[in-house]
Amino acid sequence: QVTTGRLFLFGGFGLLAVVVAYAINRGGDDTTENTIAFIYGFGIGLMVPVIALVLASSALGELIEDETLVYVWHRPVARWQLAAAAWLGAATIVLPFTVLPLVLAAAIGSGGDLTAIAAAAVGSTLAAVAYSGLFVLLGLLFRKALIWGLIYLIVWELFVSRAGQGAARLSVNTYPSSVKARMTEIELPLAERAMATGIIVPIVVAVLAVAITAWRLDHIDVA
């Protein structure tokens, strides 16, 4: 999964996060609040879902594209194990490439504020877990999943879901963002879910996505 091109993409995201955080720290007042707002908008709103999309959608999607899924599908392995392996394979790469740079950015931007650092770690972890599961499923259901995933992120997550509370409830982004808002006591747009809800929903999204992926693998015709 980790090709040279993807390494440059992921490294570029991480470097940009750190550079902007440094600029925020040097900018003067309200560094913690500005850092949290930046991680909300850039980190959880763009960086985490895009990296998760690139990796997770190809976990099974590439097997479908090159018609090699049949070799995995015919192995005497439970379908839920294949689905869980695809999700874990993506998540174990998504997590370090997103959480670590955003935690570093939070530390630099806030001047070492422990609450901001913890909020960045928890929020980005929840987002990575949920998006990885969701995009593994997307890669199984649709060819050209990368394109469909980008459409989903741009149209729904970045625009429609931010139009009001009703649409926000159907957005993955709002739940880890709400955890960040509750932990730091800093207001973020549409991040108004309770702490428990913000933690539980991303985990449920990941579990449901893996379950549906397993069900689909059990019913798909790959011959």
Side-chain angles (χ1 to χ4, degrees):
Q1 292 292 315
V2 184
T3 64
T4 302
R6 289 174 180 176
L7 279 176
F8 276 108
L9 173 66
F10 304 159
F13 269 117
L15 180 61
L16 180 59
V18 171
V19 169
V20 173
Y22 177 77
I24 291 173
N25 179 262
R26 302 292 292 179
D29 299 331
D30 300 325
T31 56
T32 297
E33 185 172 344
N34 291 336
T35 298
I36 293 298
F38 168 68
I39 292 175
Y40 159 77
F42 174 78
I44 295 179
L46 182 65
M47 177 177 169
V48 175
V50 167
I51 292 178
L53 173 62
V54 170
L55 287 168
S57 67
S58 63
L60 295 174
E62 285 185 354
L63 300 180
I64 294 175
E65 292 288 340
D66 58 22
E67 299 183 348
T68 57
L69 180 62
V70 63
Y71 302 112
V72 177
W73 190 83
H74 277 303
R75 289 181 177 273
V77 179
R79 300 295 181 246
W80 72 265
Q81 291 179 346
L82 295 177
W87 169 61
L88 288 170
T92 51
I93 303 173
V94 174
L95 284 167
F97 275 105
T98 56
V99 176
L100 294 180
L102 292 177
V103 166
L104 180 59
I108 294 172
S110 67
D113 187 298
L114 294 179
T115 301
I117 294 170
V122 174
S124 55
T125 297
L126 289 170
V129 166
Y131 280 119
S132 294
L134 189 63
F135 291 139
V136 164
L137 175 59
L138 185 74
L140 180 65
L141 294 179
F142 299 100
R143 291 184 178 272
K144 308 298 182 184
L146 186 62
I147 296 174
W148 288 109
L150 288 173
I151 292 172
Y152 161 76
L153 291 176
I154 294 170
V155 174
W156 184 263
E157 292 282 8
L158 293 181
F159 289 101
V160 176
S161 68
R162 303 193 181 195
Q165 288 298 330
R169 288 187 175 88
L170 300 176
S171 165
V172 174
N173 177 278
T174 189
Y175 296 97
S177 296
S178 294
V179 173
K180 284 170 55 65
R182 300 289 85 73
M183 290 180 68
T184 59
E185 298 183 351
I186 293 174
E187 282 192 31
L188 296 172
L190 302 177
E192 298 183 4
R193 311 283 85 80
M195 173 72 83
T197 304
I199 294 172
I200 292 171
V201 169
I203 297 172
V204 170
V205 167
V207 172
L208 284 177
V210 171
I212 297 171
T213 300
W215 177 86
R216 181 57 181 161
L217 283 170
D218 201 35
H219 291 78
I220 194 172
D221 182 10
V222 299

